[in-house]
Coordinates of all heavy atoms in Angstrom, one line a residue:
G444 N 6.3 -24.4 -31.6 CA 4.9 -23.9 -31.9 C 4.5 -22.6 -31.3 O 3.8 -21.8 -31.9
H445 N 5.0 -22.4 -30.1 CA 4.7 -21.1 -29.4 C 5.4 -19.9 -30.4 O 4.8 -19.0 -30.6 CB 5.4 -21.1 -28.2 CG 5.5 -19.7 -27.5 ND1 4.6 -19.2 -26.5 CD2 6.4 -18.6 -27.7 CE1 4.9 -18.0 -26.2 NE2 6.0 -17.6 -26.9
E446 N 6.6 -20.3 -30.8 CA 7.4 -19.2 -31.6 C 6.6 -19.0 -33.0 O 6.5 -17.8 -33.4 CB 8.8 -19.6 -31.7 CG 9.6 -19.7 -30.4 CD 9.6 -18.4 -29.6 OE1 9.3 -17.3 -30.2 OE2 9.8 -18.5 -28.4
L447 N 6.3 -20.1 -33.6 CA 5.7 -20.0 -34.9 C 4.3 -19.2 -34.8 O 3.8 -18.8 -35.9 CB 5.5 -21.4 -35.6 CG 6.8 -22.1 -35.9 CD1 6.5 -23.5 -36.5 CD2 7.7 -21.2 -36.9
A448 N 3.7 -19.4 -33.7 CA 2.4 -18.7 -33.5 C 2.5 -17.1 -33.7 O 1.5 -16.5 -34.1 CB 1.7 -19.0 -32.1
H449 N 3.8 -16.6 -33.5 CA 4.0 -15.3 -33.8 C 4.0 -14.8 -35.2 O 4.0 -13.7 -35.5 CB 5.3 -14.8 -33.0 CG 5.2 -14.8 -31.5 ND1 4.2 -14.3 -30.8 CD2 5.9 -15.4 -30.6 CE1 4.4 -14.4 -29.5 NE2 5.5 -15.1 -29.3
F450 N 4.1 -15.9 -36.1 CA 4.0 -15.7 -37.5 C 2.6 -15.7 -38.0 O 2.5 -15.8 -39.3 CB 4.9 -16.6 -38.2 CG 6.5 -16.4 -38.0 CD1 7.3 -17.4 -38.1 CD2 6.9 -15.1 -37.9 CE1 8.7 -17.3 -37.8 CE2 8.3 -14.9 -37.7 CZ 9.1 -16.0 -37.7
S451 N 1.6 -15.7 -37.2 CA 0.3 -15.8 -37.7 C -0.5 -14.7 -37.2 O -0.2 -14.1 -36.1 CB -0.3 -17.1 -37.3 OG -0.4 -17.2 -35.8
G452 N -1.6 -14.3 -37.9 CA -2.7 -13.3 -37.5 C -1.9 -12.0 -37.3 O -1.1 -11.6 -38.2
E453 N -2.4 -11.2 -36.2 CA -1.9 -9.9 -36.1 C -0.4 -9.9 -35.6 O 0.2 -8.8 -35.5 CB -2.8 -9.1 -35.1 CG -4.2 -8.9 -35.7 CD -5.0 -8.1 -34.8 OE1 -4.5 -7.8 -33.7 OE2 -6.1 -7.6 -35.2
D454 N 0.1 -11.0 -35.1 CA 1.4 -11.0 -34.5 C 2.5 -10.6 -35.6 O 3.5 -10.0 -35.2 CB 1.8 -12.4 -33.9 CG 1.3 -12.5 -32.5 OD1 0.6 -11.6 -32.1 OD2 1.5 -13.4 -31.8
T455 N 2.2 -11.1 -36.8 CA 3.1 -10.7 -37.9 C 3.3 -9.2 -38.1 O 4.3 -8.7 -38.1 CB 2.7 -11.3 -39.2 OG1 2.7 -12.8 -39.0 CG2 3.7 -11.0 -40.4
T456 N 2.1 -8.6 -38.1 CA 2.1 -7.2 -38.3 C 2.7 -6.5 -37.0 O 3.4 -5.5 -37.2 CB 0.6 -6.6 -38.4 OG1 0.0 -7.3 -39.5 CG2 0.6 -5.1 -38.8
Y457 N 2.4 -7.0 -35.8 CA 2.9 -6.4 -34.6 C 4.4 -6.5 -34.7 O 5.1 -5.6 -34.3 CB 2.4 -7.3 -33.4 CG 2.7 -6.7 -32.2 CD1 1.8 -5.8 -31.4 CD2 3.8 -7.1 -31.4 CE1 2.1 -5.3 -30.2 CE2 4.1 -6.6 -30.2 CZ 3.3 -5.7 -29.5 OH 3.6 -5.2 -28.3
S458 N 5.0 -7.8 -34.9 CA 6.5 -7.8 -34.9 C 7.2 -7.2 -36.0 O 8.2 -6.7 -35.8 CB 6.8 -9.4 -34.9 OG 6.2 -9.9 -36.2
Q459 N 6.5 -7.0 -37.2 CA 7.2 -6.2 -38.2 C 7.0 -4.7 -38.1 O 7.9 -3.9 -38.2 CB 6.5 -6.6 -39.6 CG 7.0 -7.9 -40.2 CD 6.2 -8.1 -41.5 OE1 5.1 -7.8 -41.7 NE2 7.1 -8.7 -42.5
Q460 N 5.8 -4.2 -37.7 CA 5.5 -2.8 -37.7 C 5.6 -2.1 -36.5 O 5.6 -0.9 -36.4 CB 4.2 -2.6 -38.4 CG 4.0 -3.1 -39.8 CD 2.6 -2.9 -40.4 OE1 1.9 -2.2 -39.8 NE2 2.3 -3.5 -41.5
F461 N 5.6 -2.8 -35.5 CA 5.6 -2.1 -34.1 C 6.7 -2.5 -33.2 O 7.4 -1.5 -32.8 CB 4.2 -2.6 -33.3 CG 4.1 -1.9 -32.1 CD1 3.7 -0.6 -31.9 CD2 4.5 -2.5 -30.8 CE1 3.6 0.1 -30.7 CE2 4.4 -1.9 -29.6 CZ 4.0 -0.7 -29.6
T462 N 7.0 -3.6 -32.8 CA 7.9 -4.0 -31.8 C 9.3 -3.4 -32.1 O 9.9 -2.6 -31.3 CB 8.1 -5.5 -31.6 OG1 6.8 -6.0 -31.3 CG2 9.0 -5.8 -30.5
P463 N 9.9 -3.6 -33.3 CA 11.3 -3.0 -33.5 C 11.3 -1.5 -33.6 O 12.2 -0.8 -33.1 CB 11.7 -3.6 -34.9 CG 10.4 -4.0 -35.6 CD 9.5 -4.4 -34.5
I464 N 10.2 -0.9 -34.2 CA 10.2 0.5 -34.3 C 9.8 1.2 -32.9 O 10.5 2.2 -32.6 CB 9.0 1.0 -35.4 CG1 9.3 0.3 -36.7 CG2 8.9 2.5 -35.4 CD1 8.3 0.6 -37.8
Y465 N 9.0 0.5 -32.1 CA 8.9 1.0 -30.8 C 10.1 1.0 -30.0 O 10.4 2.0 -29.4 CB 7.8 0.1 -30.1 CG 7.4 0.5 -28.7 CD1 6.5 1.6 -28.5 CD2 7.8 -0.1 -27.6 CE1 6.2 2.0 -27.2 CE2 7.4 0.2 -26.4 CZ 6.6 1.3 -26.2 OH 6.3 1.7 -24.9
A466 N 10.9 -0.1 -30.1 CA 12.1 -0.1 -29.3 C 13.1 0.9 -29.8 O 13.9 1.6 -29.2 CB 12.7 -1.5 -29.4
G467 N 13.1 1.0 -31.3 CA 14.0 2.1 -31.9 C 13.6 3.5 -31.4 O 14.5 4.4 -31.3
L468 N 12.3 3.8 -31.3 CA 11.8 5.2 -30.9 C 12.4 5.4 -29.4 O 12.8 6.5 -29.1 CB 10.4 5.3 -31.0 CG 9.9 6.7 -30.7 CD1 10.6 7.8 -31.4 CD2 8.3 6.7 -30.9
W469 N 12.2 4.3 -28.7 CA 12.7 4.5 -27.2 C 14.2 4.8 -27.2 O 14.7 5.7 -26.5 CB 12.5 3.3 -26.4 CG 11.2 3.3 -25.6 CD1 10.1 2.6 -25.7 CD2 11.0 4.2 -24.4 NE1 9.2 2.9 -24.8 CE2 9.7 4.0 -24.0 CE3 11.7 5.2 -23.9 CZ2 9.1 4.6 -23.0 CZ3 11.2 5.9 -22.8 CH2 9.9 5.6 -22.4
R470 N 15.0 4.1 -28.1 CA 16.4 4.4 -28.2 C 16.7 5.8 -28.7 O 17.7 6.5 -28.3 CB 17.1 3.3 -29.2 CG 17.1 1.9 -28.6 CD 18.2 1.2 -29.5 NE 17.9 1.1 -30.9 CZ 17.0 0.2 -31.4 NH1 16.4 -0.7 -30.7 NH2 16.8 0.2 -32.7
A471 N 15.9 6.2 -29.6 CA 16.0 7.6 -30.2 C 15.8 8.7 -29.2 O 16.7 9.6 -29.0 CB 15.1 7.8 -31.4
L472 N 14.7 8.5 -28.4 CA 14.5 9.4 -27.3 C 15.6 9.4 -26.2 O 15.9 10.5 -25.7 CB 13.1 9.2 -26.7 CG 12.0 9.6 -27.6 CD1 10.6 9.1 -27.0 CD2 12.0 11.2 -27.7
A473 N 16.1 8.2 -25.9 CA 17.1 8.1 -24.9 C 18.4 8.8 -25.4 O 19.1 9.6 -24.7 CB 17.5 6.7 -24.6
A474 N 18.7 8.7 -26.8 CA 19.8 9.3 -27.3 C 19.6 10.8 -27.3 O 20.5 11.7 -27.1 CB 20.1 8.8 -28.6
L475 N 18.4 11.3 -27.6 CA 18.1 12.6 -27.6 C 18.2 13.3 -26.2 O 18.7 14.4 -26.0 CB 16.6 12.9 -28.1 CG 16.2 14.3 -28.5 CD1 16.9 14.8 -29.6 CD2 14.7 14.2 -28.8
G476 N 17.7 12.5 -25.2 CA 17.9 13.0 -23.8 C 19.4 13.1 -23.4 O 19.8 14.1 -22.8
R477 N 20.2 12.1 -23.9 CA 21.7 12.3 -23.5 C 22.4 13.4 -24.3 O 23.3 14.0 -23.9 CB 22.4 10.9 -23.9 CG 22.0 9.7 -23.0 CD 23.0 8.6 -23.2 NE 22.9 8.2 -24.7 CZ 22.1 7.3 -25.1 NH1 21.2 6.6 -24.2 NH2 22.1 6.8 -26.3
A478 N 21.8 13.8 -25.4 CA 22.4 14.9 -26.3 C 22.0 16.1 -25.9 O 22.6 17.2 -26.4 CB 22.0 14.6 -27.7
D479 N 21.0 16.4 -24.9 CA 20.5 17.7 -24.7 C 21.3 18.4 -23.6 O 21.0 19.5 -23.3 CB 19.1 17.6 -24.2 CG 18.8 17.4 -22.7 OD1 19.8 17.0 -22.1 OD2 17.8 17.6 -22.1
G480 N 22.4 17.8 -23.2 CA 23.3 18.4 -22.1 C 23.7 19.9 -22.6 O 24.3 20.0 -23.6
G481 N 23.3 20.9 -21.8 CA 23.5 22.3 -22.3 C 22.6 22.9 -23.1 O 22.6 24.2 -23.3
R482 N 21.8 22.1 -24.0 CA 20.9 22.7 -24.9 C 19.5 22.7 -24.1 O 18.6 21.9 -24.3 CB 20.7 21.8 -26.1 CG 21.9 22.1 -27.0 CD 21.8 21.2 -28.3 NE 22.5 19.9 -28.0 CZ 22.4 18.9 -28.9 NH1 21.9 19.0 -30.0 NH2 23.1 17.7 -28.6
F483 N 19.3 23.8 -23.3 CA 18.1 23.9 -22.5 C 16.9 24.0 -23.3 O 15.8 23.6 -22.9 CB 18.2 25.1 -21.5 CG 18.4 26.4 -22.1 CD1 17.3 27.2 -22.5 CD2 19.7 26.8 -22.5 CE1 17.4 28.4 -23.1 CE2 19.9 28.1 -23.1 CZ 18.7 28.9 -23.4
V484 N 17.0 24.5 -24.5 CA 15.8 24.6 -25.4 C 15.2 23.3 -25.8 O 14.1 23.2 -26.3 CB 16.0 25.5 -26.6 CG1 16.3 26.9 -26.2 CG2 17.2 24.9 -27.5
L485 N 16.1 22.2 -25.7 CA 15.5 20.9 -26.2 C 14.9 20.2 -24.9 O 14.1 19.1 -25.2 CB 16.8 20.1 -26.6 CG 16.6 18.7 -27.2 CD1 15.6 18.9 -28.4 CD2 17.9 18.2 -27.6
Y486 N 15.1 20.6 -23.7 CA 14.6 19.8 -22.5 C 13.1 19.7 -22.6 O 12.6 18.5 -22.3 CB 15.1 20.5 -21.3 CG 14.9 19.6 -20.1 CD1 15.7 18.5 -19.8 CD2 14.0 20.0 -19.1 CE1 15.4 17.7 -18.7 CE2 13.7 19.3 -18.0 CZ 14.5 18.0 -17.8 OH 14.3 17.3 -16.7
P487 N 12.3 20.7 -22.8 CA 10.9 20.5 -22.8 C 10.5 19.5 -23.8 O 9.5 18.7 -23.5 CB 10.3 21.9 -23.1 CG 11.3 22.8 -22.7 CD 12.6 22.1 -23.0
A488 N 11.1 19.5 -25.0 CA 10.8 18.6 -26.0 C 11.1 17.1 -25.6 O 10.4 16.2 -25.9 CB 11.5 18.9 -27.4
V489 N 12.2 16.9 -24.9 CA 12.7 15.6 -24.5 C 11.6 15.1 -23.4 O 11.2 14.0 -23.4 CB 14.0 15.6 -23.9 CG1 14.3 14.3 -23.2 CG2 15.0 16.0 -25.0

Side-chain angles (χ1 to χ4, degrees):
H445 167 103
E446 299 301 339
L447 294 180
H449 290 309
F450 286 150
S451 63
E453 293 183 351
D454 274 7
T455 298
T456 306
Y457 187 92
S458 59
Q459 277 184 323
Q460 301 180 11
F461 179 78
T462 303
I464 299 176
Y465 182 74
L468 182 52
W469 264 114
R470 290 195 303 271
L472 285 172
L475 194 64
R477 291 191 298 270
D479 84 346
R482 283 180 270 176
F483 59 92
V484 295
L485 189 57
Y486 191 70
V489 172

